[in-house]
Amino acid sequence: MRVSTGSTTGRTGSTTGGAAAVGLPRWAFAPAAVGGLFVLLPLVAMATRVDWSSYWSLVTSESARAALLLSLQTSAASTVVCLVLGVPMALVLARCRFPGIDLLRSLVMVPLVLPPVVGGIALLYTFGRRGLLGETLEVAGLQIAFSTTAVVLAQTFVALPFLVMSLEGALRTAGARYEVVAASLGARPTTVLRRVTLPLVWPGLLSGAVLSFARALGEFGATITFAGSLQGVTRTLPLEIYLQRETDPDAAVALSLLLVVVAVLVIAATRQGRPGRSVL
Amino acid sequence: MRKHRRKHVAAGIAALAVTVLAGCGTSATGDDGADGDTTTLTVFAAASLQGSFEDLAEQFEDAHDGVDVRLSFAGSSDLVAQVQQGAPADVFASADTANMDKLVADDLVGNPQDFATNTLEIAVPPDNPAGVETLADLAAPDVKLVLCAPEVPCGAASAKVEDAAGLDLQPVSEEQSVTDVLGKVIAGEADAGLVYVTDVAAAGDDVEGVEFPESDSAVNTYPIAPVADGGDEQADLAQQFVDLVLSDDGQQTLAGFGFAAP
């Protein structure tokens, strides 16, 4: 089991070395194989249900293309928002010490354990027309309800903890020693961050961003609760799959496979950029 | 440090496994054989029947000593799929004839009988911010209208009404279910939505209903039937439940929840 990624970069003689030489106890392989099957078998089962003769026409229908395009756009946008907000959050959580920071860390992780529908309801009462901020936003001429912005907000809400968690772990494992050295040589905080900290945790940052994108791509519950469902505006691929299931199960299966393929491609493409290093 | 974390992960997985396994044990039905005095009657009913069938089940239990009525509510199409997969149902009440017809075609139910009808109504937030009075008002560009998607039954009914009235409605969202439409109206996100009369009745003060004459063009009929399996005693009990729903008392209960007679 690899607990962290990129943690060994630049560290010698640390406690993380030597694990490979010991080898695994034999009993670990059987449950590992069962676990692998448990994940893969449903995907295979789904693939066997695909009606290949009509697959292409099903996944290139107007509604499917609109949903895929919207999913990719909103997921990319929410990943950018996650990076803009999540990197500073991870830095604060990993490097600062003040009372209540442990509680803060737990709270930031809440969307991870919250059912997405609950997240959607919470967002509704915040950004909805009658929500906490909604009225102010409406006065300012911003209408979030039923817009693509609402989809991005919902996706960011559920995806943000993945980036923060991944990056904070990387920051903690990397330690602050190099930063201290850089600072003692006269580097300003921004320079230390840019030239020392971020390059050190780059793999963690990358895997966090990929996880966030993947989570945003699969987001369903918060979106349907908070953003609604309209073709080309708020109906992302998971919502389209759920709707097609009502009338056209073949289309739902075909689109599900498409979603899996897109997710695998994204992960594979990121791995390609960093050979020999696990991204997830 | 690392070992420590691993231990936590293992504990978490173990806890998860226990939860999952425990969850499997609770859903089995009809296993009350231990105390021979109780008979269980399992009723599968469309989600929109929840309130009324809970009342009817209580009436049935009061009239039949030692009978325990178990209710399972879900979308009609989901319930049909469950019965087709062999779920232990004694009675099936559907929100539309199309879903009941699927089970009739598979020879899985007895003779279905219509027991209620439901029509569409406009739901608006209590203060009716957009001033909706008629169906035609929904076509105004500044009214945020939410409908069911045409793929689901309530959306198909909405489309029928829209056609009959010769309107071109532009919803801001096409929801998955009538509950989702109602939720958006209750939250005040939408100015109006098309839902069933019974949904407006169930929501109480949270929404206001606006009736419209064009709703006659899409009347939803609810059929009920005993599911054909199990022993004679069970089939007899199932028929008695169907009879209760069709009786004057049953009809009165349903009317209290906004349903109309078939």
Side-chain angles (χ1 to χ4, degrees):
Chain A
M1 169 160 56
R2 295 194 65 155
V3 175
S4 57
T5 54
S7 55
T8 51
T9 353
R11 304 201 74 187
T12 46
S14 69
T15 51
T16 50
V22 178
L24 282 173
R26 250 177 228 173
W27 55 260
F29 287 101
V34 171
L37 273 178
F38 182 65
V39 173
L40 288 178
L41 204 57
L43 296 181
V44 174
M46 192 173 74
T48 62
R49 282 304 192 83
V50 172
D51 182 3
W52 292 106
S53 57
S54 60
Y55 184 79
W56 193 245
S57 63
L58 286 176
V59 298
T60 52
S61 71
E62 196 203 336
S63 60
R65 276 184 293 136
L68 177 63
L69 185 66
L70 183 70
S71 266
L72 293 174
Q73 287 170 334
T74 53
S75 301
S78 54
T79 307
V80 170
V81 180
C82 281
L83 284 168
V84 169
L85 303 177
V87 171
M89 278 167 78
L91 286 166
V92 169
L93 289 176
R95 292 288 186 260
C96 297
R97 280 185 187 186
F98 52 82
I101 192 160
D102 287 330
L103 181 69
L104 197 64
R105 187 178 294 118
S106 312
L107 288 178
V108 168
M109 298 303 154
V110 162
L112 273 185
V113 293
L114 218 56
V117 177
V118 178
I121 293 173
L123 286 170
L124 200 59
Y125 288 131
T126 315
F127 297 103
R129 281 167 94 188
R130 299 186 177 183
L132 209 56
L133 304 176
E135 277 176 51
T136 321
L137 290 171
E138 193 144 352
V139 169
L142 287 170
Q143 293 223 350
I144 290 178
F146 306 117
S147 68
T148 307
T149 312
V151 178
V152 175
L153 283 179
Q155 290 176 344
T156 305
F157 184 78
V158 296
L160 191 56
F162 285 88
L163 186 105
V164 175
M165 198 173 60
S166 177
L167 185 58
E168 198 212 341
L171 282 165
R172 286 180 173 278
T173 327
R177 288 187 304 162
Y178 293 95
E179 295 165 15
V180 173
V181 172
S184 72
L185 293 172
R188 291 168 176 280
T190 305
T191 313
V192 175
L193 180 67
R194 199 163 51 83
R195 303 287 296 273
V196 179
T197 315
L198 289 183
L200 264 181
V201 298
W202 174 245
L205 184 62
L206 192 67
S207 74
V210 172
L211 272 177
S212 300
F213 183 87
R215 179 67 189 86
L217 197 62
E219 166 37 47
F220 172 76
T223 312
I224 205 162
T225 320
F226 173 54
S229 175
L230 194 68
Q231 185 178 328
V233 182
T234 49
R235 188 174 295 154
T236 55
L237 201 46
L239 270 65
E240 174 73 15
I241 291 170
Y242 195 61
L243 184 62
Q244 288 299 336
R245 200 187 62 110
E246 289 283 338
T247 47
D248 191 352
D250 284 344
V253 172
L255 291 173
S256 304
L257 196 69
L258 178 68
L259 190 63
V260 172
V261 168
V262 170
V264 170
L265 280 180
V266 168
I267 293 169
T270 333
R271 275 187 73 120
Q272 204 73 43
R274 306 195 61 80
R277 182 165 279 153
S278 89
V279 166
L280 294 178
Chain B
M1 166 68 201
R2 180 173 256 220
K3 208 169 195 177
H4 197 65
R5 195 187 291 178
R6 212 177 268 181
K7 217 181 249 175
H8 276 298
V9 171
I13 291 170
L16 190 72
V18 169
T19 318
V20 170
L21 291 178
C24 297
T26 54
S27 58
T29 51
D31 52 1
D32 286 32
D35 53 345
D37 295 324
T38 317
T39 318
T40 304
L41 185 75
T42 308
V43 177
F44 277 22
S48 49
L49 293 168
Q50 179 144 12
S52 53
F53 267 49
E54 275 167 1
D55 268 20
L56 288 167
E58 237 168 83
Q59 290 173 28
F60 193 77
E61 283 174 354
D62 287 346
H64 296 77
D65 249 1
V67 174
D68 181 26
V69 179
R70 292 201 197 193
L71 297 163
S72 175
F73 298 105
S76 299
S77 53
D78 288 337
L79 292 173
V80 165
Q82 288 173 20
V83 172
Q84 283 171 335
Q85 304 291 329
D90 298 312
V91 176
F92 173 56
S94 170
D96 62 352
T97 40
N99 276 299
M100 183 60 90
D101 288 347
K102 289 185 207 166
L103 291 185
V104 172
D106 288 354
D107 250 351
L108 287 168
V109 290
N111 184 32
Q113 283 172 283
D114 298 339
F115 68 94
T117 59
N118 210 351
T119 47
L120 292 175
E121 192 172 14
I122 302 168
V124 296
D127 53 350
N128 197 354
V132 173
E133 305 288 344
T134 66
L135 188 67
D137 288 348
L138 299 182
D142 55 340
V143 172
K144 279 188 187 289
L145 171 69
V146 176
L147 300 177
C148 287
E151 285 86 347
V152 295
C154 59
S158 303
K160 237 188 247 178
V161 165
E162 184 183 350
D163 274 354
L167 291 168
D168 179 27
L169 302 176
Q170 298 288 339
V172 292
S173 181
E174 292 174 347
E175 301 286 332
Q176 192 72 38
S177 74
V178 75
T179 328
D180 291 326
V181 174
L182 200 63
K184 298 280 189 318
V185 175
I186 291 174
E189 288 302 293
D191 295 323
L194 276 183
V195 299
Y196 290 110
V197 174
T198 51
D199 298 311
V200 174
D205 293 339
D206 288 339
V207 297
E208 209 172 280
V210 179
E211 289 177 23
F212 57 96
E214 297 92 335
S215 64
D216 288 348
S217 51
V219 177
N220 228 20
T221 305
Y222 286 59
I224 189 168
V227 179
D229 78 330
D232 286 346
E233 195 187 330
Q234 204 73 1
D236 194 37
L237 211 55
Q239 188 57 50
Q240 285 180 38
F241 188 85
V242 173
D243 290 343
L244 168 69
V245 172
L246 293 166
S247 72
D248 286 347
D249 280 353
Q251 291 294 306
Q252 214 167 348
T253 305
L254 285 160
F257 284 86
F259 287 99

